[in-house]
Amino acid sequence: MSTVVTVPSSALGSLKRSRALSPAQTRPGLARLISRRSVAVYSRSRSVVFAQKIDEDDDDFEKRLSSFSKVPKSKAPAKDKGKKTTATGLTKLPEEDLPGEVELYSGPPSRGDLAVNVALGATLLWLPLTMASVGRALWVNYRITNKRVVVKSTPPVGASEDICAAIEDVVDVKAIGRGVGAWGDMCLTLKDGSKVEIRSVDNWMDIKNEIQAQIDAKTSADNVEISLDDTPVAEKAQPKGF
């Protein structure tokens, strides 16, 4: 015996609509879970790709660094500890004294020059000249003989200087007195046009006279030699008479 069940039409419509919906729409919680998992998987894949790129960059950097380390290092040039000039390219003199060499002056610049400049340094306007005088007194040394002029400068900053000029290469000497004539400055001109300056030396007048005497003697000798070379040969005397 069969039983017939009557279903209302409204129930049939709702059943059709539920079948037409997707499982994601019927289950919103499941959809949200799937979307979260997909985002997490995407983010994880992005982080993996980014980490791989960083590793590749690190490997590339290490390769470049190793290639630079293999390049032979060039030796740095040694620092010039001092500048030595012997006769400024003219006559070369030995370090030992020559026969008959007499010392005229040896030592630092005049102490009188240092004392006066230190006293005037209190005016502040004179302070640059005071500092220059102190520097000369500490790091400059002169040696003047009848054969050579030696100027040694050993400042703590910059290159040191060692000049040795032969008196025979000096063609002109200029001198001026300082400190009421107690000391003086000199400037020597050499054959090649270079100049050697000597500042604040005692006995400056005696030194100047000695150098000037040698210049005059050498000039006289050169003039005599030139006059002998220019003397015309005497013409042969012609016989006179019938």
Side-chain angles (χ1 to χ4, degrees):
M1 183 175 180
S2 61
T3 303
V4 176
V5 180
T6 303
V7 181
S9 59
S10 59
L12 289 174
S14 62
L15 180 61
K16 290 180 181 180
R17 286 195 300 271
S18 63
R19 289 180 179 178
L21 296 175
S22 63
Q25 292 175 339
T26 58
R27 297 178 181 179
L30 180 60
R32 287 194 296 271
L33 180 61
I34 292 173
S35 63
R36 289 177 183 175
R37 288 185 177 179
S38 61
V39 170
V41 170
Y42 177 74
S43 301
R44 189 178 303 170
S45 62
R46 290 271 298 179
S47 62
V48 170
V49 171
F50 184 69
Q52 290 178 352
K53 187 175 181 181
I54 291 177
D55 293 339
E56 292 177 357
D57 293 341
D58 291 342
D59 294 339
D60 190 16
F61 176 74
E62 290 179 357
K63 289 180 181 179
R64 291 181 180 180
L65 188 61
S66 61
S67 63
F68 286 135
S69 62
K70 292 179 181 179
V71 176
K73 296 181 180 180
S74 58
K75 295 183 179 179
K79 294 183 178 180
D80 187 8
K81 296 183 179 179
K83 179 183 177 181
K84 184 174 182 180
T85 307
T86 303
T88 57
L90 300 172
T91 305
K92 294 182 179 180
L93 299 176
E95 294 183 0
E96 60 273 6
D97 290 348
L98 298 173
E101 187 169 1
V102 179
E103 187 173 84
L104 304 176
Y105 183 87
S106 179
S110 174
R111 296 305 182 187
D113 173 72
L114 176 63
V116 170
N117 281 280
V118 169
L120 293 175
T123 61
L124 296 182
L125 294 177
W126 202 268
L127 194 58
L129 298 178
T130 301
M131 299 301 294
S133 178
V134 171
R136 289 194 301 269
L138 293 176
W139 301 305
V140 178
N141 202 323
Y142 300 121
R143 184 171 185 265
I144 305 172
T145 68
N146 60 340
K147 301 290 185 181
R148 73 185 78 196
V149 174
V150 179
V151 181
K152 291 185 179 181
S153 177
T154 56
V157 179
S160 60
E161 193 174 26
D162 189 354
I163 299 176
C164 179
I167 297 296
E168 63 184 63
D169 294 331
V170 179
V171 295
D172 187 31
V173 54
K174 302 293 184 183
I176 184 171
R178 305 288 186 186
V180 201
W183 59 86
D185 300 341
M186 288 190 295
C187 180
L188 310 180
T189 304
L190 306 183
K191 290 178 180 179
D192 60 351
S194 58
K195 299 182 184 298
V196 179
E197 293 185 355
I198 304 173
R199 295 181 178 273
S200 305
V201 293
D202 298 323
N203 303 328
W204 62 278
M205 185 58 71
D206 296 337
I207 298 171
K208 190 252 184 186
N209 293 336
E210 175 65 26
I211 296 175
Q212 187 64 53
Q214 294 195 33
I215 294 174
D216 294 341
K218 188 175 183 300
T219 303
S220 300
D222 292 341
N223 291 336
V224 170
E225 185 177 354
I226 292 173
S227 62
L228 290 176
D229 293 339
D230 293 341
T231 302
V233 178
E235 294 181 1
K236 187 176 181 181
Q238 297 295 332
K240 295 180 180 182
F242 297 100

